[in-house]
Amino acid sequence: FYHGPGVTAVVSPDGGRIASVAENRFRFAAADEVEAYERLVVVWDRATGDRVRAVRVPHAPARRPLFSPDGALLAVGYGRAEGAAGVAVFDVATGELRTDVGGRPTAPHLHGFTPGGDALLFTDGASGPLVRRDLTAGELARRWEWLEGPSMEAVDSARIEA
C-alpha cells in the first residue's frame, strides 16, 4: 500500500486491515489540496493491498489511528489549532462517523481503548490530563490529573475529591 510521505500506519488486532494517515510533506501543493490530503484516513486490506475504505476527519491533519480491540472501530486524532482538534471514531465496516469529540484545546494523543472497546483513553497533547471517554454513553467517564514532580504519575481525580 502507499499513502504518501509522513505515513503513520497501524494493523488491526486480527491482522486483516491496516489504517494509515499522512501529513503532506510537499511544499508546492495548494492549501486546499493539503487540507483534503491531511484529513484522509485510508483502511487497506493487508493481504491484497487494496483500499477498503477512505474517511475524512473534521480538521487536518489526521493523527495516530488506533483500532479497537475487536477491530470494529477506528479512532483517529485530528487537528492542530485550539477548538479545531479532537478525536473521531469511525465504524470500520461502514465508514460511519460514530463519535466526534471535537473542540479540544490541542491535538489529542490516543493511548488506547478499554479491553471491551467501550471507552477510549486520550490526552490533550503530550502533557494534558488523561481522559476516559465512554463511547456508549458519549460522555466523559473519568479524568486523571498529572502529579507535580518528576514522576508524572496519573492520579484518579475522583479519589482526590472524595
Side-chain angles (χ1 to χ4, degrees), residues 98-99 118-119 132-141:
R98 298 277 298 274
T99 302
D118 59 343
R132 182 178 188 259
R133 178 79 179 199
D134 185 319
L135 299 176
T136 305
E139 60 190 30
L140 175 70

Side-chain angles (χ1 to χ4, degrees), residues 16-39:
R17 300 276 189 253
I18 297 172
S20 65
V21 299
E23 288 192 57
N24 189 349
R25 304 285 191 229
F26 298 108
R27 303 277 187 244
F28 305 106
D32 59 337
E33 291 174 358
V34 171
E35 170 77 12
Y37 178 79
E38 287 189 333
R39 289 179 54 217

Side-chain angles (χ1 to χ4, degrees), residues 13-146:
D14 70 359
R17 300 276 189 253
I18 297 172
S20 65
V21 299
E23 288 192 57
N24 189 349
R25 304 285 191 229
F26 298 108
R27 303 277 187 244
F28 305 106
D32 59 337
E33 291 174 358
V34 171
E35 170 77 12
Y37 178 79
E38 287 189 333
R39 289 179 54 217
L40 187 65
V41 181
V42 180
V43 178
W44 308 87
D45 182 280
R46 188 199 54 79
T48 66
D50 293 338
R51 252 182 164 180
V52 174
R53 180 162 327 291
V55 296
R56 293 190 188 280
V57 294
H59 298 282
R63 300 172 183 259
R64 297 177 182 86
L66 179 68
F67 283 101
S68 62
D70 64 1
L73 301 175
L74 179 67
V76 184
Y78 66 82
R80 292 186 182 98
E82 183 169 343
V87 179
V89 180
F90 297 94
D91 182 296
V92 173
T94 66
E96 174 189 359
L97 178 62
R98 298 277 298 274
T99 302
D100 181 15
V101 186
R104 306 306 302 177
T106 188
H109 288 227
L110 304 182
H111 295 283
F113 280 89
T114 54
D118 59 343
L120 181 64
L121 298 168
F122 63 91
T123 57
D124 289 323
S127 60
L130 182 65
V131 173
R132 182 178 188 259
R133 178 79 179 199
D134 185 319
L135 299 176
T136 305
E139 60 190 30
L140 175 70
R142 181 163 277 169
R143 175 185 171 108
W144 293 269
E145 299 293 340
W146 294 106

